[in-house]
Amino acid sequence: EVQLVESGGGLVQPGRSLRLSCEASGFMFDDYAMHWVRQTPGKGLAWVSSISWDSGSIDYADSVKGRFTISRDNAKNSLYLQMNSLRPEDTALYFCAKTTAYYSAMDVWGQGTTVIVSS
Amino acid sequence: EIVLTQSPGTLSLSPGERATLSCRASQSVASNYLAWYQQKPGQTPRLLIYAASTRATGITDRFSGSGSGTDFTLTISRLEPEDFAVYYCQQYTSSPHTFGQGTKVEIK
């Protein structure tokens, strides 16, 4: 079964850091691009970041550029999102998702991990 | 950045009726790289349509996508109880891979 499981969310103070992880199983992880998408409570979806299969292509939303870093370890079938200088507006449910290619639709999503930035 | 505007914000329909959802892009979506997702309360988004009109694996033919350039449509031919949800469009032709704000299909 193809599966993505996020972890690492929690309650953190503004200005602090958090690292999210996404563990993949059931497919050849190093064949696929991966993405982070977030959803604010009661709101819509917002793309955060993308990384190609070989980490050669990486993009960020303007709202997180310079603060968040996406990375992957293909040997561990894992995707990461290092979030620094967190702000209250980063509070959201963070999903990881896979695509067939870098520019492709997100065909598998994880269940998400919640990040709350509050003092 | 390509901005996607979905309309209407909420669609109130009865089971068995046809639903027509619109997604308009601020600039042309090259190669029709547009997807539609369904999200039910407390659930993860599910891919319905990609490349504007191709149904994802396992998606019933009650769902169909159409359009090109800047105007795209998701049609649900006959609403079933399980179809009442929020629907999002997303373009993936260029970064940022923007989403529309969503259309909620609710029971009338």
Side-chain angles (χ1 to χ4, degrees):
Chain A
E1 180 191 5
V2 175
Q3 196 170 11
L4 297 171
V5 179
E6 301 93 336
S7 61
L11 173 62
V12 62
Q13 292 180 328
R16 304 298 290 265
S17 299
L18 209 57
R19 189 196 197 204
L20 305 184
S21 298
C22 170
E23 186 171 344
S25 60
F27 65 99
M28 294 296 290
F29 181 72
D30 53 8
D31 279 350
Y32 295 93
M34 297 294 296
H35 311 264
W36 288 101
V37 176
R38 67 187 181 185
Q39 185 166 35
T40 310
K43 300 287 186 179
L45 301 169
W47 170 80
V48 174
S49 183
S50 300
I51 186 168
S52 60
W53 68 275
D54 62 351
S55 305
S57 294
I58 288 176
D59 284 297
Y60 299 97
D62 285 347
S63 58
V64 308
K65 201 172 293 184
R67 300 187 298 123
F68 289 12
T69 302
I70 191 172
S71 63
R72 66 190 294 161
D73 186 336
N74 287 343
K76 294 183 178 179
N77 290 342
S78 292
L79 172 73
Y80 306 101
L81 186 67
Q82 177 66 43
M83 304 187 296
N84 298 334
S85 304
L86 281 161
R87 304 168 180 169
E89 55 265 36
D90 295 319
T91 294
L93 178 63
Y94 285 74
F95 297 102
C96 65
K98 70 173 270 293
T99 56
T100 305
Y102 194 73
Y103 293 103
S104 185
M106 298 176 186
D107 59 351
V108 178
W109 296 63
Q111 289 301 310
T113 186
T114 300
V115 173
I116 300 173
V117 184
S118 175
S119 54
Chain B
E1 173 178 332
I2 298 177
V3 177
L4 299 179
T5 303
Q6 292 187 240
S7 61
T10 302
L11 200 51
S12 298
L13 296 168
S14 301
E17 289 193 292
R18 182 186 188 91
T20 302
L21 289 66
S22 173
C23 176
R24 179 160 291 177
S26 60
Q27 55 188 279
S28 182
V29 178
S31 304
N32 292 335
Y33 277 1
L34 186 112
W36 289 94
Y37 302 88
Q38 175 194 66
Q39 187 178 32
K40 299 178 183 179
Q43 294 189 19
T44 197
R46 178 173 71 144
L47 176 65
L48 299 176
I49 301 285
Y50 63 94
S53 60
T54 303
R55 275 186 295 276
T57 302
I59 301 302
T60 171
D61 59 7
R62 289 186 292 102
F63 291 93
S64 63
S66 62
S68 64
T70 59
D71 288 297
F72 299 88
T73 301
L74 175 70
T75 302
I76 311 171
S77 58
R78 298 171 311 280
L79 283 165
E80 296 287 340
E82 61 269 25
D83 299 335
F84 292 92
V86 179
Y87 294 83
Y88 296 95
C89 59
Q90 182 221 3
Q91 66 80 21
Y92 50 92
T93 193
S94 64
S95 288
H97 303 222
T98 44
F99 288 87
Q101 81 280 20
T103 290
K104 181 179 182 180
V105 179
E106 65 177 21
I107 298 176
K108 186 173 182 181

